[in-house]
Amino acid sequence: MIKMSSRGAANGLRVLPHHQAAAHHHAADQGAIAAAPQQQQQRPQQLRGDRIILSQSALDGILRASSAAGGTALPSPLVFAITNPANLRKVFGSVREFTAPFDDAVFLSSELREALDIRIDDEEMVDADDGGGPVVNVSLVSTLPKCEYLRMAPMEPEYLELPDLRSLLESHIRQSRAVISLGDTLTVSQPSKRGAPPSEYHFLVTDIKPNQTCICVDVDVSLDVVPDDEVATEAVKRKFLAQPQPDGAAVIPVAAKGDGELFGQVTGSVAAGEYTVYKFKPGAERFFKIELSPATGDCDLFVSKSIERPTMQDHNYVNVDQGKSSIIVELDDPPAPFVFISVRGYSTKSTFTLSAASIKAGPPLPSAPSSSGPHDPDLAPDQVLCGNCLSPISAKAAVMHEAFCRRNNAVCHRCRGLGLPHVMKKEDLPLHWHCDDCDKIGTLSEQPKHAELLHTPLPCDDCGASFPLPQLPAHRRRDCPERVIECRFCHLAVRAGGRSRSAKDILLGEGFSEHESDLRKQDGRMHELARQNQPTPPLCANTECGGFESEQYRNDMRLCRACYSPFWSTRHDPGNQKLAGKLAAAYHAQLTFCATSANPSLTTTPLDPTTAAVHTVALLKKSFLYNPKSPSYSLCVADEASATRRKAAAHLVGLGFRVEWCVKALAECAGGGERGVGVVVCECAKELPG
């Protein structure tokens, strides 16, 4: 919180506080401001970046000073230079709102207080009446240029762990910064999982153009992230050259071998519930097969083409079969730069062998079971069916075969119904197992693990909702309300929220999140409001013309350049006497030689000079000579297309639109009024404010 004196001023503007502020301020003679911590019960939302909060009286003072200076427009955004007189440190802050609880108070963000070396606690309470708190000077700044180029240096080597560094920096600048100076330190927060505090990363501004302090609102900035040598070296060591750690958290690079093998056999170990992660660079092959062979214990295989550390929560491919497991991976076009493989220990510490090799074709497509059920094979004339295994055998050996078969073999009728091999040894049948929830076939020893990992709902680490393992990664990528997305409208990294339940969004099928749906609706309302409140096009005052006044060459008659050209003159004309004579002459000639809307009879027979003179006087009373704010003329138009537009616009006016917008819509449509009123309404009505 900051107290403001009645002498605070900058660039001719005086920030005027409450009339009693000077009585409470011990540093009024210096035009100073006393800083105090942000009070949590009054400001529940923390200030970030360069944001400050002033009182309503400060805004009133700025507006009064601006009005006294001739109504000069206020700069946007409002930027203040803040100086600590104790150490002469200076920073720049942008006002977020004028809601400070005291007339002579302002709040500073923690970043600004740290830059000014103001040591106060956010939880500390300062009495507004005792003049307590550090003192700073504040002045309004209105001459800062727009930022064109930024170069930042990360201060921690962990910056390479960020999935989208540039997007995160742009999001932080949009949300928390209106002004950036050379030497500023930006504290960027990366959203973490539910319940965990966000991770913070610091970036130092090492270069900025065109000035050492620039505005970064509503500008296109070229942004470069260039670490210094020590940070870059440490970051590369951590990300790309890390050695395996005891907890299996490091990513181990695997070199290619060649001859069809992407990498040779790699041996490793992993504890129960932990991960050992490998990565390798794929070749030109579209398909390759990864095989995991446990030597001791049991472990599971997870593969991803984009996630650096695949887990049970996030992966593209998974195989949790007991014992040996394999995955066939199909690469995209263009292929991913790296493929990441995670081996997870299931029960006890496991040792394993991992390998990968290219293959020519992808995984075989699953065949649908026969709708007609099992059927007997076609028999040759000398063949019969075995009464036990139902296989075709020679009639001569039928007795011996069936006796041996009944003594040693058994049949799984469920496998036979699926068209799979169904004959096995008798001692293997009690161990044979079919999953009732999927098409998995194995032994009874595999059932507990299969049911636990594939058919028992697992909680999402972010939102807590439970899904079976095959559905969990898709939920986290598309539906989890706690996932971080880049909004398609504001381009900020934000919490997605749930899927939009708006009927219109569902019908569009765009998959909008709650945040995106809210912004789309807000943007639609703002667009409609802007459309209805946009300034009316300056239509030519000639009711026969479909042109517009020139913004560059305005005239008193409010005519377009084509209609005004016969009346233009370089001679001095006090009182517009000569111009009135030209207009009267034009009307009189028009009434006596042609039939237009200026001729009330609308006949091809010209009026006689006396009658024409009477009507000329009536027409002059509608001109700028008598009605300067909204004059009206009925002058002949040489441009046939312009005249046609104006006549077509008269039909659209009857549909509830203003004539100015009707003429503009017709002018912007290819073919103008010749296309017909119906076509114009269909294509242009959405641009016409009602």
Side-chain angles (χ1 to χ4, degrees), residues 422-485:
H422 54 277
V423 181
M424 62 192 70
K425 293 182 179 181
K426 270 190 174 183
E427 57 269 22
D428 293 339
L429 183 60
L431 303 178
H432 186 65
W433 160 75
H434 286 260
C435 179
D436 295 329
D437 298 317
C438 64
D439 57 359
K440 173 67 177 175
I441 303 174
T443 62
L444 284 175
S445 60
E446 301 177 52
Q447 181 181 11
K449 179 184 178 182
H450 177 84
E452 175 189 351
L453 296 184
L454 293 180
H455 299 302
T456 301
L458 303 175
C460 172
D461 286 347
D462 291 341
C463 68
S466 296
F467 297 89
L469 181 60
Q471 303 174 17
L472 184 58
H475 159 77
R476 291 174 58 81
R477 286 194 300 268
R478 299 194 301 262
D479 301 322
C480 180
E482 298 296 332
R483 72 191 188 281
V484 177
I485 63 170

Side-chain angles (χ1 to χ4, degrees), residues 669-670 675 678-687:
C669 280
R675 300 183 61 191
V679 177
V680 172
V681 171
C682 292
E683 296 191 1
C684 303
K686 60 183 179 181
E687 301 296 336

Side-chain angles (χ1 to χ4, degrees), residues 444-675:
L444 284 175
S445 60
E446 301 177 52
Q447 181 181 11
K449 179 184 178 182
H450 177 84
E452 175 189 351
L453 296 184
L454 293 180
H455 299 302
T456 301
L458 303 175
C460 172
D461 286 347
D462 291 341
C463 68
S466 296
F467 297 89
L469 181 60
Q471 303 174 17
L472 184 58
H475 159 77
R476 291 174 58 81
R477 286 194 300 268
R478 299 194 301 262
D479 301 322
C480 180
E482 298 296 332
R483 72 191 188 281
V484 177
I485 63 170
E486 181 180 355
C487 176
R488 283 176 273 185
F489 299 101
C490 67
H491 304 289
L492 300 179
V494 295
R495 173 185 175 273
R499 286 286 186 95
S500 171
R501 299 184 181 275
S502 168
K504 184 175 182 180
D505 292 341
I506 295 174
L507 184 63
L508 290 174
E510 295 290 341
F512 289 131
S513 65
E514 289 180 351
H515 170 83
E516 291 173 327
S517 178
D518 292 341
L519 275 189
R520 189 187 65 81
K521 294 175 184 176
Q522 180 180 358
D523 181 68
R525 290 192 296 267
M526 295 301 294
H527 172 73
E528 179 65 20
L529 182 62
R531 187 174 70 88
Q532 294 291 346
N533 293 333
Q534 57 187 319
T536 304
L539 184 62
C540 177
N542 183 6
T543 58
E544 303 291 327
C545 176
F548 295 91
E549 291 185 65
S550 172
E551 295 287 341
Q552 186 176 1
Y553 304 102
R554 290 292 182 91
N555 56 80
D556 294 338
M557 296 183 69
R558 309 288 292 273
L559 296 173
C560 65
R561 295 185 66 180
C563 293
Y564 182 68
S565 58
F567 306 102
W568 181 81
S569 175
T570 58
R571 300 177 62 182
H572 180 57
D573 184 16
N576 294 317
Q577 296 180 5
K578 296 179 181 179
L579 181 58
K582 287 184 177 182
L583 180 60
Y587 272 141
H588 193 270
Q590 186 173 308
L591 291 168
T592 55
F593 288 100
C594 65
T596 65
S597 60
N599 186 338
S601 63
L602 293 178
T603 64
T604 56
T605 304
L607 300 178
D608 62 88
T610 304
T611 306
V614 174
H615 287 293
T616 297
V617 174
L619 291 171
L620 288 175
K621 291 184 178 180
K622 299 179 181 179
S623 69
F624 80 105
L625 299 171
Y626 296 89
N627 190 11
K629 291 186 177 181
S630 56
S632 175
Y633 308 91
S634 296
L635 300 169
C636 289
V637 178
D639 186 356
E640 183 179 356
S642 176
T644 304
R645 279 200 304 269
R646 190 61 179 258
K647 292 178 181 178
H651 295 282
L652 291 175
V653 170
L655 299 177
F657 300 114
R658 296 188 59 172
V659 64
E660 295 89 344
W661 291 109
C662 295
V663 173
K664 182 176 182 181
L666 288 164
E668 293 183 357
C669 280
E674 297 178 359
R675 300 183 61 191

Side-chain angles (χ1 to χ4, degrees), residues 23-24 38 109 121 160 187 199 202 254 297 362 417 444-445 470 583 610 665:
H24 300 294
Q38 184 179 352
S109 68
D121 187 1
L160 280 183
T187 303
S199 303
H202 300 84
V254 180
L444 284 175
S445 60
L583 180 60
T610 304

